Amino acid sequence: MIWIAVTPTLLAINLLLGPLMAGIPVVPRTIITVTIAVPIVIYGVMPLLHRLRRRWVMSRRS
């Protein structure tokens, strides 16, 4: 589930901000990307995935 949450989030951030951060060296660019991605994943994407997984597991038990 982590991979499912992190990969699209990083992809979206890189697609949206990539042109703006093109002149920034790799390490600061990575720090900026991670600083944006981690809260999105932790507070947005992972809770949604946990709810979807719970529904899926419960529906399979029926």
Side-chain angles (χ1 to χ4, degrees), residues 37-48 51:
V38 168
I40 292 171
V41 169
I42 299 254
Y43 297 111
V45 180
M46 286 304 289
L48 174 65
R51 282 193 299 274

Side-chain angles (χ1 to χ4, degrees), residues 9-59:
T9 304
L10 289 176
L11 237 149
I13 290 170
N14 282 315
L15 287 172
L16 292 171
L17 300 180
L20 298 172
M21 297 192 301
I24 301 173
V26 173
V27 173
R29 188 171 60 216
T30 303
I31 292 169
I32 291 167
T33 303
V34 168
T35 301
I36 295 168
V38 168
I40 292 171
V41 169
I42 299 254
Y43 297 111
V45 180
M46 286 304 289
L48 174 65
L49 288 177
H50 280 292
R51 282 193 299 274
L52 291 172
R53 181 178 171 270
R54 189 178 320 126
R55 286 182 192 161
W56 180 69
V57 168
M58 295 306 246
S59 70

